[in-house]
């Protein structure tokens, strides 16, 4: 009973510590998602007041502000479909991205190419960029525009995942491998095809892939890479009005004069997927999930740690599916977590647990390939999680050491000299609490309830006790047979 109480208290302390770490990790991601949610609203409010409420022409404004991943790809697909159902005249895709995953980029481009209405890509606000995957998306849109002070390019693909080759580097003497050449040639052909489809500069598009070139907004307009340079969405609509574009092999005249801009900011589902697909949050969810299950195994019936742990573990594994995972790193993380769980059940006194912490930290550093734009794992975050895990392992080892030092119940050598407490009055025989257990005791001196006594001998399941006071604290009476 005492051991279970200690485990419950330790588990409760661990849970509070893990909840604090989880909140600290989730706070920046949630704040970032909230800021991304509020940014499009400010853009829409700056252009909507100038439009009459009675106008029938309207434009949908979608916003991508971060790495291109499955969450944003799904957001663009649903946004274009919703704009088509609501008979919008144009979809404006406001873009600010460092790049992203190839599969998510191609899903986004397929949705744009299949759109039943024009899609204008607008790299904004000033200071934004459409790097890597963003350049491909810009080329795929029917109208390409940039705000002053923005840039695009650096579209060379990088290989991510376990055992992948290094990206080609400028001035590298070594010839690119067959895998590198294959990826670069495929990307160059892909972006050249998009450029030819939209009638834009295909030669520069290929150079942006093969040589990682970049351009500012003014240079991109002069080179024929984009169609417009606009300060904001209102000016973009004014310059785009009357342009003729090809939509599904048919000419479409863009008529957005005096159009109302309807903000279609990312909904809660997109923001939630973007948060759990954050590498740091996914790692925290995995860690909390494993420790929650560990505490449930240590204290069966606690319920809350098991429920929270299972939910966090499932969310973490789902988030990992949305990320460019190095599976060697994921295997090291799972091995490290398994070692830390085993520390609570095996008498290694910290050896297995500290080895698990080391495997966990190395796996976390390898988990996300830093070459994938926007999906790197912060070193400081990994260090903080590793230190927290080490402290938890140390606390578990300390509990194990305290439990080992405690004398085994039922052993005479461990009971003689033990201080006990009477559970009731006793003239000759009675009951006492000895080391958390209830024992039958005999005495030559009348005893009272809650009186402290010392064990001086044992006969089978009966202990011999004497009153504990200052006179016998230094020397116990000789044990006698009963």
């Amino acid at each position: 009973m005492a051991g279970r109480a200690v485990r419950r208290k330790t588990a409760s302390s661990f849970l509070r510590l893990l909840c604090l770490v989880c909140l600290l990790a989730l706070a920046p991601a949630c704040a970032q998602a909230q800021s991304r949610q509020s940014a499009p609203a400010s853009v829409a409010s700056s252009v909507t007041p100038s439009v009459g409420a009675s106008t029938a022409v309207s434009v949908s404004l979608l916003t991508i502000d971060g790495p291109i991943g499955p969450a944003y790809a799904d957001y663009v697909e649903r946004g274009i479909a919703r704009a088509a159902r609501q008979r919008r005249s144009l979809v404006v895709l406001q873009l600010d991205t460092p790049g992203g995953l190839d599969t998510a980029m191609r899903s986004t481009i397929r949705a744009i190419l299949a759109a039943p209405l024009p899609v204008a890509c607008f790299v904004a606000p000033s200071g934004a960029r459409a790097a890597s995957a963003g350049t491909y998306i810009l080329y795929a849109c029917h109208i390409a525009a940039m705000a002053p002070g923005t840039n695009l390019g650096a579209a060379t693909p990088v290989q991510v995942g376990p055992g992948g080759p290094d990206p080609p580097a400028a001035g590298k003497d070594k010839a690119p491998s067959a895998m590198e050449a294959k990826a670069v040639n495929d990307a160059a052909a892909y972006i050249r095809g998009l450029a030819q489809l939209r009638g834009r500069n295909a030669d520069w598009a290929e150079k942006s892939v093969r040589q990682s070139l970049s351009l500012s907004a003014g240079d991109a307009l002069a080179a024929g890479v984009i169609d417009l340079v606009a300060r904001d969405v209102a000016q973009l609509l004014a310059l785009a009005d009357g342009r003729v574009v090809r939509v599904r092999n048919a000419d479409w005249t863009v008529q957005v004069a005096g159009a109302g801009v309807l903000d279609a900011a990312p909904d809660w589902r997109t923001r939630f997927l973007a948060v759990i697909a954050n590498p740091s949050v996914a790692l925290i969810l995995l860690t909390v999930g494993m420790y929650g299950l560990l505490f449930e195994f240590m204290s069966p019936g606690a319920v809350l740690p098991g429920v929270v742990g299972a939910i966090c573990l499932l969310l973490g594994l789902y988030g990992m599916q949305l990320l460019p995972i190095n599976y060697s790193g994921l295997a090291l993380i799972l091995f490290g977590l398994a070692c830390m769980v085993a520390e609570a059940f095996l008498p290694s006194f910290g050896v297995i647990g500290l080895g698990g912490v080391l495997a966990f930290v190395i796996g976390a550093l390898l988990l996300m390939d830093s070459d994938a734009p926007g999906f790197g794992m912060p070193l400081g975050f990994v260090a903080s999680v590793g230190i927290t895990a080490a402290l938890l392992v140390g606390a578990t080892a300390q509990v194990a050491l305290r439990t080992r030092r405690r004398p085994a119940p039922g052993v005479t050598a461990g009971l003689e000299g033990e201080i006990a407490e009477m559970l009731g009055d006793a003239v000759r025989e009675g009951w006492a609490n000895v080391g958390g257990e209830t024992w039958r005791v005999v005495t030559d001196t009348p005893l009272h309830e809650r009186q402290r006594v010392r064990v001086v001998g044992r006969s089978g399941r009966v202990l011999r006790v004497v009153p504990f006071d200052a006179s016998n604290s230094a020397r116990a009476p000789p044990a006698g047979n009963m």
Side-chain angles (χ1 to χ4, degrees):
M1 294 176 63
R4 170 173 287 187
V6 172
R7 288 197 300 270
R8 282 184 181 275
K9 185 176 180 180
T10 305
S12 177
S13 301
F14 285 178
L15 265 182
R16 286 195 293 267
L17 181 60
L18 278 178
C19 289
L20 178 61
V21 174
C22 186
L23 289 175
L24 292 176
L26 290 174
C30 294
Q32 188 177 18
Q34 183 65 28
S35 64
R36 290 176 181 174
Q37 176 189 11
S38 59
S42 62
V43 174
S45 63
S46 65
V47 296
T48 303
S50 62
V51 181
S54 61
T55 179
V57 182
S58 58
V59 172
S60 288
L61 176 64
L62 307 179
T63 304
I64 294 180
D65 184 9
I68 305 296
Y72 276 125
D74 177 70
Y75 163 65
V76 172
E77 292 176 11
R78 292 187 293 113
I80 292 176
R82 183 171 57 251
R85 289 195 306 269
Q86 297 173 350
R87 299 184 180 277
R88 303 285 186 240
S89 301
L90 180 70
V91 173
V92 176
L93 179 59
Q94 184 167 303
L95 187 63
D96 180 10
T97 178
L101 305 180
D102 178 78
T103 53
M105 174 198 73
R106 290 178 182 263
S107 297
T108 303
I109 291 176
R110 281 196 296 269
I112 293 172
L113 297 181
L117 73 166
V119 178
C121 182
F122 184 37
V123 183
S126 295
R129 58 176 170 167
S132 192
T135 303
Y136 295 80
I137 295 174
L138 183 75
Y139 263 93
C141 290
H142 304 86
I143 299 174
M146 299 175 67
T150 58
N151 66 282
L152 82 162
T156 303
V158 293
Q159 182 74 21
V160 299
D166 295 332
K172 190 176 181 180
D173 296 333
K174 181 182 175 182
S177 66
M179 185 63 70
E180 291 174 344
K182 181 178 179 180
V184 171
N185 290 335
D186 176 72
Y190 186 54
I191 199 169
R192 176 174 277 275
L194 295 175
Q196 293 171 346
L197 178 66
R198 301 305 183 198
R200 302 196 182 107
N201 191 333
D203 293 334
W204 186 89
E206 185 172 351
K207 290 180 181 179
S208 71
V209 173
R210 299 189 182 277
Q211 303 176 23
S212 298
L213 299 182
S214 297
L215 285 177
S216 64
D219 294 337
L221 181 62
V225 174
I226 62 173
D227 305 311
L228 304 169
V229 173
R231 294 186 306 273
D232 50 28
V233 175
Q235 187 179 26
L236 168 64
L237 297 181
L239 296 175
D241 186 58
R243 295 182 67 90
V244 179
V245 297
R246 295 285 292 180
V247 178
R248 290 185 173 180
N249 297 321
D251 291 337
W252 180 299
T253 302
V254 178
Q255 297 178 346
V256 289
V261 179
L262 301 179
D263 179 21
D267 55 9
W268 70 268
R269 178 176 180 272
T270 302
R271 294 194 303 273
F272 175 73
L273 291 178
V275 167
I276 68 171
N278 183 298
S280 300
V281 175
L283 182 64
I284 274 289
L285 289 173
L286 281 180
T287 307
V288 173
M290 291 296 294
Y291 273 108
L293 295 181
L294 166 63
F295 298 150
E296 182 65 30
F297 294 150
M298 293 174 61
S299 303
V303 180
L304 179 61
V307 173
V308 174
I311 293 174
C312 290
L313 189 62
L314 291 176
L315 287 177
L317 291 175
Y318 178 77
M320 289 296 178
Q321 297 178 9
L322 307 180
L323 296 170
I325 298 176
N326 183 323
Y327 288 98
S328 299
L330 181 60
L332 280 171
I333 286 178
L334 295 178
F335 175 74
L337 290 174
C339 288
M340 287 185 275
V341 170
E343 177 62 37
F345 302 97
L346 300 178
S348 68
F349 304 105
V351 176
I352 295 178
L354 292 179
V357 172
L358 181 61
F360 179 87
V361 171
I362 295 175
L365 294 175
L366 297 178
L367 181 63
M368 299 303 162
D369 197 314
S370 58
D371 288 333
F375 289 97
M377 184 70 73
L379 181 60
F381 173 77
V382 174
S384 63
V385 173
I387 292 173
T388 303
L391 293 176
L392 293 177
V393 169
T396 304
Q398 186 178 8
V399 172
L401 286 173
R402 279 205 308 265
T403 304
R404 186 182 185 186
R405 294 192 187 104
R406 183 181 303 161
V411 179
T412 304
L415 291 177
E416 289 186 1
E418 190 79 14
I419 305 302
E421 182 179 281
M422 294 299 299
L423 298 178
D425 296 338
V427 177
R428 171 65 183 171
E429 297 183 356
W431 298 90
N433 183 352
V434 185
E437 297 180 338
T438 301
W439 284 80
R440 183 167 170 242
V441 298
V442 295
T443 177
D444 296 332
T445 305
L447 302 173
H448 304 288
E449 183 180 2
R450 303 181 65 84
Q451 183 177 351
R452 299 180 70 195
V453 294
R454 180 188 291 274
V455 178
V456 295
R458 173 187 171 184
S459 177
R461 297 182 179 274
V462 181
L463 302 180
R464 183 178 182 84
V465 298
V466 296
F468 175 80
D469 51 31
S471 61
N472 64 14
S473 61
R475 181 179 59 88
N481 294 328
M482 296 176 289

